[in-house]
Amino acid sequence: TDRNIFALLHSLCILRPAKSFLFLLKNFQPATTFRISFSTIHIAQERSLFIDCIMRYSITITGKVQGVWFRNYTKEKADELGICGFVKNLADGSVYCEAEGTPQNLELFADWCGIGSPLSEVKSVNVERKDDTGYTGFAIERKP
């Protein structure tokens, strides 16, 4: 049944989060996309099933990262890599972001955070893995 298939796929994404999986299916309509926790499932025209596991990182960046367009450049990089989530300034002068995407793109994004915008001077980047929340798009959060 569909429920058993999705349970199996979900297990694969939890056990091997850095991998993508390709399956051949006969009974699913092409070009259908499903979202289950930790993964996005897309059934292509040839009725193959491609799963990209989705992870979420909580990232805190310290240094000279406010007043240097860090958030704007972060959004540009997130959009380029297909990362969803948000970025915001913190009262202590650091920048915080939550980012969801494929493991490969999250690693590229976290590496970029260590470089930052052209005028920034990144001192440290703290990355923690979290459960995904299903963000859509990437936003810059501004003070109220």
Side-chain angles (χ1 to χ4, degrees):
T1 68
D2 292 354
R3 177 176 278 172
N4 292 340
I5 291 171
F6 290 123
L8 169 67
L9 300 176
H10 177 73
S11 301
L12 287 172
C13 285
I14 291 172
L15 294 173
R16 303 221 184 263
K19 302 286 183 191
S20 295
F21 301 94
L22 181 64
F23 293 91
L24 296 176
L25 296 179
K26 296 179 181 176
N27 298 325
F28 286 94
Q29 294 299 315
T32 303
T33 301
F34 300 92
R35 180 165 174 81
I36 59 175
S37 183
F38 292 106
S39 61
T40 298
I41 301 170
H42 179 74
I43 300 173
Q45 191 64 36
E46 62 278 2
R47 293 184 187 237
S48 60
L49 177 66
F50 183 76
I51 303 173
D52 250 342
C53 295
I54 301 297
M55 295 169 41
R56 177 169 65 112
Y57 282 177
S58 166
I59 306 171
T60 304
I61 305 102
T62 63
K64 183 181 174 187
V65 291
Q66 291 190 17
V68 291
W69 294 90
F70 193 94
R71 291 177 300 160
N72 289 54
Y73 278 90
T74 301
K75 179 175 177 13
E76 284 181 16
K77 190 55 140 178
D79 290 344
E80 176 187 318
L81 293 171
I83 301 288
C84 297
F86 67 88
V87 62
K88 66 179 180 179
N89 286 340
L90 297 180
D92 65 1
S94 63
V95 169
Y96 174 79
C97 70
E98 291 193 4
E100 284 185 356
T102 63
Q104 298 84 357
N105 285 353
L106 280 177
E107 286 300 316
L108 292 171
F109 184 72
D111 289 345
W112 179 89
C113 287
I115 299 166
S117 66
L119 297 176
S120 66
E121 296 172 14
V122 175
K123 183 177 177 183
S124 70
V125 177
N126 181 36
V127 179
E128 294 180 39
R129 170 128 187 247
K130 305 284 187 175
D131 290 337
D132 78 320
T133 59
Y135 290 116
T136 56
F138 195 90
I140 297 173
E141 289 193 1
R142 307 201 185 274
K143 293 181 182 177

